[in-house]
Amino acid sequence: MRAPRTWFLGHRRPRVKPGSPPSPGPVTDFTGNAQADAEAIARHLGRPGDLQRRLLPLSPGPGRSSRTLLVLYLDNLVNVARLERAVVLPLLEGPPGALDRPDGLLGVIAAAHVRLVSTVPDAATRLIHGWVMVLGDGWPQAAGIELPDWPGRAVDEPPSEVVTKGPRTGFVEELRKNLALLRVTFPTPNLRVQLFSCGKEPGISVAMVWMEGRTPPERVERGRILLGRLHDILGPVDIQTVSELVGRTTMRVLPLFFQTERVDRVAAALREGRIAIFVDRSPFALVAPSTFFMMLTSAEDYYQPPEVALALRLTRMVGFLLALVATPFYIGLVGFNPGVLPTRLAMAVSASRQGVPYPAWMEALIMELMMTILVEASVRLPRAIGSAATVVGGLIIGQAAAQASLISNLMIIVVAVSAITSFALPNVEILYAVRVMKWPMMLAAGLMGLPGLFVAFVLMTMWMASLRSLDEPYLYPMAPFEGIAVLRDTLLRRRWEILHPGRYRPQVPPFDAAPTRPASGEVTP
């Protein structure tokens, strides 16, 4: 019988004969010979060409014998200037007798993170993460110093969540920098951070952040349990991997966790008692639990007046419905139930489809497929030619198809309305989910007309109501219904004194009141 494949990488599991003892693994403890230990580390890494070795001969002095230390690091991952200043010079000028054992470096090295490493695999892993290893003859351990200098991009405006009003700060692909950005934006001593190591080869650092006093303890414990299960998974770990494995649902069309690149959105979610999950080497953060209506809100809603925010949210909800049901509604109406239309409108629809050689459902299928391909092509192409491809595909091909009576003009209008309204959605994951959920509804409308579309829409709503995000209802506050929450910050964006009832409005003096002058030596805020 063939050995099963592993669930993630697809490699075959090694066959082990029954009753045979397991093969002993390689000896990983340091031998005390600096050259031999350095060779073992290099062999574990595959003898890379960027592995740098540097010998530091220490001259003998009073109470100190002659000794040679070996410094290992990977080029372009270590700050060489800090290496010279924090490691090399202190070792050359170290006190007598302090370098006879590796723990003596703890008081000599001028670095914040200095650790003793006992195994070759641990030393190799730390080298990959920007550490420097110091080896010495007779040392049972190596000294590791963290001096990373990774290439990365600067903090910039998030490209997936562009706003016209509000902060321009977005996360980057470095976990430490992302946590620093969050602490600068949300400076509170109640912020709690817990780190996890997820994955085996390689292990990726994952951080769970919450606000003490706002986040329920059972929610924090639930997050700990779910993230703790990711320690033994194989393969690379990314923000999407964590979202899929933590979500634990069979159908992942809709995003169960809100992903954002904006620092202010994560800070606002922490104030609401949610948790945020960061993954190293990913510029996105997961917010849990999340609701469907969070996907339809934008950060700009909170930087606009409440009336403007209400209009924007209603526009996005209408856009979501049109993007989802516009094309299926056209199929059911024209192909099965044209009698519900007024006489003049029915005649206009019939005149627009005159000469089209196939039914409405096939016409809609072709147009939706071509529109999906056109949108994907415009996204993947370079910016210099992406707009030109959109113009050529949208105008020239569409006009030619209409003149050749292959596609009706009304079908072009319906598909264009469906595409444009989908671009009004502020979340990219919801945009892709709408594209996927549209196809089953088109199938139902093509088989049973408007009654089939209605049944498909009801089944989709029931399925959405059954979803849970970190054991919280996905359609809250609609299902279960809570009217106060709906009017507070779902459909409406109430004023700040209602959203934050603990904060009082500032007392504004009357216009005719005399201005107060600060006392002598007092500094005005």
Side-chain angles (χ1 to χ4, degrees), residues 36-112:
D37 294 338
E39 181 63 24
I41 295 175
R43 187 167 56 252
H44 191 85
L45 292 173
R47 294 186 175 88
D50 55 349
L51 180 62
Q52 303 295 324
R53 306 187 188 189
R54 182 172 178 179
L55 294 175
L56 296 180
L58 305 181
S59 58
R64 181 175 67 182
S65 59
S66 177
R67 178 182 294 274
T68 300
L69 299 181
L70 183 60
V71 179
L72 288 179
Y73 62 93
L74 288 173
D75 199 11
N76 299 325
L77 290 181
V78 172
N79 192 322
V80 180
R82 289 183 58 195
L83 174 64
E84 294 287 341
R85 184 174 61 253
V87 178
V88 176
L89 291 180
L91 289 179
L92 294 177
E93 301 174 357
L99 304 180
D100 294 338
R101 295 185 58 83
D103 53 2
L105 271 70
L106 301 179
V108 176
I109 300 298

Side-chain angles (χ1 to χ4, degrees), residues 1 72 76 102 107 152 168 199 295 339 382 424:
M1 183 177 180
L72 288 179
N76 299 325
R168 311 291 182 182
M295 314 295 173

